[in-house]
Amino acid sequence: MATQQLHRGRLIDHIQLVVRDLAASQRFYTAVFDTLGIPIGGSDDSYFWADELFVSTADSIAAQGHLTGRHHLAFQAASRAAVDAFHKAALAHGGRDNGAPGERPYHPGYYAAFVLDPDGNNIEAVYHGEAERSAASVSIRF
């Protein structure tokens, strides 16, 4: 099998989801991000954000009055245990099962779980297996 090389942090600046029920979404994402070690970065009456994900109400100035459609977002997990914890936390905080934790055929070692968030977005946590990273994260200062 040929060696694969993945790059993270080069394509997406941020993603915005516009949701019907901000409180339900904030409970859901706070719980699943806690299992993945991702803190909520900030919040206000019409939004919250974590890392590159911005979640808002339709009346938020950034949303322009429209809900986003259904999306698939995949979050990186540090281990199989983190994927398992993500799935459990998601189901306990308003998520619906869309694929229990397990190996997937995408490449050897691909271990993931899928849930539907309160707005029906397909949310995945994935662990790609043992790997060496060139850096834990990219830091941008401006």
Side-chain angles (χ1 to χ4, degrees), residues 6 11 15-16 19 28 31 45 48 56-58 61 75 85 90-91 93-94 120 124 128-129 132 137:
L6 302 173
L11 177 62
I15 295 169
Q16 180 178 2
V19 300
F28 173 85
D45 292 339
F48 68 91
S56 73
T57 60
I61 192 167
F75 302 127
L91 298 182
H93 291 87
E124 173 185 4
H128 287 281
E132 182 180 327
S137 66

Side-chain angles (χ1 to χ4, degrees), residues 62-84:
Q64 301 177 346
H66 300 286
L67 298 176
T68 50
R70 290 185 56 169
H71 295 285
H72 172 75
L73 303 177
F75 302 127
Q76 296 178 45
S79 65
R80 286 177 173 233
V83 171
D84 296 343

